[in-house]
Amino acid sequence: MAKLFINNSCKKGTIAPEIYGHFSEHLGRCIYEGLYVGEQSDIPNTNGMRNDVVEALKEMKIPVLRWPGGCFADEYHWMDGIGPKEQRKKMINTHWGGVVEDNSFGTHEYFELCRQLGCKTYVNANVGSGTVREMSEWVEYMTFNGVSPMAELRKRNGHEEPWKLDYIGVGNENWGCGGNMRPQFYADEYRRYQTYVRNYSGNAPITKICCGANVDDYRWTRKVLETCFEGTPAFLHGHMDGLSLHYYTLPETEDDWNVKGSATNFTEEIFYQTLKRGVFMEELIRRHGGIMDEFDPEKKIGMMVDEWGIWTDVEPGTNPGFLYQQNTMRDALVAGNTLNIFNNHCDRVKMANIAQLINVLQSVMLTEGEKMIKTPTYYVFKMYSVHQGAQLLSADLTEQGKAGSGKNELDKVIASVSEGDDGTINITLTNNSLEAAETVEVKLAEDADAYGVSKASVLTGSMNAHNTFAQPDAVKEEPFKDHKKTEGGFIFTLPACSVVCVRIKKA
Ligand code: AHR
């Protein structure tokens, strides 16, 4: 039996809502069809944005949306996506699928989408093939309220008021598709570019994110930080607010990107291997975080894990450049484990953006024409949304046993616990075992007997259970009933292969 001891008088810091963030790129059917169908579409929409998708994302409490890429960002020239739509440039999306990009979704449409979603904005600027001027003019276009050429242009294009830009990424994967730069070179570029991200009055501050490492490239992290801070320890203050990290979980091979494995058809061994690779995130946060601590012991710079999730082979018969994949209970467990890890490291992790929002990689929704389904990952984000902005509580999990075996062995149960403003305690747990239910004895340090369960839900199914357009509700959030009150706490019995959220409150 696993034991979870919650010290409810020990708060360890705020869980940034943005840990539950998302990412949308001009890739496959993420933007076009997934989010944006245009005002003339038969699919119900508001100013071109799909109503069904917007509604579901609001219900899931999407806190922030990164756009326009990814690799696409370092080839994106924002001026192509403003002004009358019929005059916008048409071009081939050379990165993703070789399809025509008509730029009908641009800056105005992005901010309109975020307005409808009620979420924060995160724009990724082009460093790889852009210029400092292009980036600084984009910031001016988006955020300046005074007299200036870019503010005038925005007004002429129909938007009088500036928008609120919350985050800017200064390049994306500049060690790869964003220019194949060396860390020292990129860091110098970062120093220069970020200088021209102006905080215009009334619209400040913009959180500036420096391009961090790919997976376990600790050398990149060290060299970038060394170069950025060289001679200017004060760099920390206002010059770098975040450092990104990208980590994708590949189910089958680690190095051959042509054989990642099917999204739905996999063995138990591959299931455990995927989960084990997913929890590698913990080590990445600790080790990259350790290097960040050397430069920034007060943890003022956030680690922004702005691309993460499972990356499998595409669904058979679909465009390989569209990265369209199904989503199963395996995805739900990777999401549940990873979000627990992020919560538990909320002192350093300040934002994370699963890749990608819809129809691409580990999505929360899939569409087919006018039909839309929610994936198991959607329900995990919805269930865990109670952690957004809550206080992480000290929680010790012991005797949780192991799931899988050999090199694929991982903790059977992974959990995190938070307390919301109204005193409700939120406990999220995964049972990573396919074999057996797991009983968890929960003890509270204080006032245990005053608490009762206020809401409890579970997501469970076979390892490859998933929703389809024919069976949209095969996997969905259900009430969780296997809990009982004990002296000093509770007992939960987590079904095999499940994600559970229990909320307890004083009567
Ligand atoms: O999410 C798909 C791609 O993965 C992104 O464009 C890129 O940043 C990463 O390599």
Side-chain angles (χ1 to χ4, degrees), residues 23 25 27 66 69-72 95-96 172-173 175 177 246 248 257 307 311 323 355-356 360-361:
F23 168 40
E25 180 164 12
L27 195 177
R66 177 176 182 238
C71 294
F72 184 82
H95 244 293
W96 303 117
N172 167 73
E173 297 195 350
W175 36 260
C177 65
H246 287 184
Y248 285 101
W257 281 67
E307 287 186 35
W311 193 323
L323 311 186
Q356 298 190 4
V360 172
L361 302 177

Side-chain angles (χ1 to χ4, degrees), residues 29-336:
R29 295 181 299 116
C30 180
I31 299 287
Y32 301 111
E33 186 189 317
L35 293 163
Y36 181 75
V37 287
E39 290 166 17
Q40 309 310 325
S41 172
D42 291 340
I43 298 174
N45 69 84
T46 304
N47 299 329
M49 314 300 157
R50 286 182 78 124
N51 292 345
D52 53 352
V53 168
V54 167
E55 204 40 53
L57 291 175
K58 278 162 68 178
E59 223 178 285
M60 193 194 72
K61 295 205 171 75
I62 181 171
V64 60
L65 183 61
R66 177 176 182 238
W67 171 81
C71 294
F72 184 82
D74 279 275
E75 287 190 57
Y76 184 61
H77 300 286
W78 67 273
M79 282 213 182
D80 296 343
I82 57 168
K85 290 201 177 168
E86 56 294 353
Q87 288 167 23
R88 294 189 193 174
K89 283 187 193 161
K90 290 193 176 43
M91 54 191 62
I92 301 294
N93 186 336
T94 45
H95 244 293
W96 303 117
V99 289
V100 174
E101 164 64 61
D102 68 1
N103 281 300
S104 56
F105 188 97
T107 303
H108 291 247
E109 291 74 22
Y110 168 71
F111 280 97
E112 168 59 13
L113 173 63
C114 293
R115 184 194 68 76
Q116 291 186 26
L117 294 172
C119 74
K120 286 192 178 175
T121 56
Y122 174 9
V123 160
N124 212 112
N126 180 346
V127 169
S129 70
T131 62
V132 171
R133 177 176 178 176
E134 185 182 6
M135 183 209 62
S136 76
E137 287 187 340
W138 198 11
V139 173
E140 183 186 321
Y141 187 87
M142 292 184 279
T143 63
F144 189 50
N145 202 13
V147 178
S148 84
M150 291 303 116
E152 291 311 311
L153 184 58
R154 183 191 67 238
K155 290 176 192 172
R156 277 205 302 283
N157 285 332
H159 211 273
E160 188 67 28
E161 297 297 319
W163 294 286
K164 174 85 180 89
L165 177 61
D166 297 294
Y167 300 89
I168 190 162
V170 180
N172 167 73
E173 297 195 350
N174 301 92
W175 36 260
C177 65
N180 285 306
M181 300 174 190
R182 294 178 312 122
Q184 297 92 328
F185 180 82
Y186 168 72
D188 277 334
E189 289 292 84
Y190 176 78
R191 292 171 67 124
R192 188 163 72 107
Y193 272 72
Q194 67 78 32
T195 310
Y196 302 96
V197 177
R198 301 277 189 229
N199 276 316
Y200 295 109
S201 69
N203 220 334
I206 301 170
T207 298
K208 294 189 262 194
I209 300 172
C210 175
C211 170
N214 185 30
V215 196
D216 54 356
D217 186 353
Y218 303 111
R219 181 175 169 272
W220 177 276
T221 301
R222 180 171 295 287
K223 292 274 175 204
V224 163
L225 289 175
E226 260 170 19
T227 312
C228 280
F229 286 97
E230 196 185 314
T232 50
F235 199 80
L236 186 57
H237 304 291
H239 296 292
M240 188 193 292
D241 306 302
L243 182 66
S244 68
L245 169 67
H246 287 184
Y247 174 51
Y248 285 101
T249 303
L250 271 53
E252 282 193 17
T253 49
E254 258 171 316
D255 37 19
D256 184 353
W257 281 67
N258 293 317
V259 198
K260 297 179 282 294
S262 161
T264 52
N265 190 6
F266 46 84
T267 61
E268 289 195 3
E269 190 192 342
I270 295 292
F271 168 86
Y272 287 119
Q273 177 163 292
T274 311
L275 265 49
K276 175 74 181 189
R277 288 185 183 168
V279 299
F280 183 52
M281 184 66 87
E282 167 104 49
E283 178 174 332
L284 292 173
I285 295 171
R286 268 195 291 103
R287 294 191 59 186
H288 285 292
I291 299 169
M292 291 173 80
D293 287 347
E294 292 175 31
F295 294 86
D296 171 32
E298 290 172 45
K299 299 193 197 307
K300 290 186 174 163
I301 301 177
M303 186 184 289
M304 315 302 210
V305 190
D306 59 12
E307 287 186 35
W308 69 275
I310 299 192
W311 193 323
T312 69
D313 294 340
V314 297
E315 285 305 293
T318 63
N319 185 331
F322 278 17
L323 311 186
Y324 176 69
Q325 65 190 48
Q326 252 293 358
N327 194 291
T328 65
M329 271 306 299
R330 178 178 67 169
D331 294 67
L333 283 164
V334 168

Side-chain angles (χ1 to χ4, degrees), residues 271 328-330 332-333 376 431 433-434 458-466 474-476 478 495-499:
F271 168 86
T328 65
M329 271 306 299
R330 178 178 67 169
L333 283 164
N431 179 356
S433 168
L434 293 171
V458 60
L459 191 73
T460 188
S462 63
M463 65 181 182
N464 54 6
H466 59 280
V475 186
K476 66 174 196 310
E478 309 269 7
C497 191
S498 68
V499 181

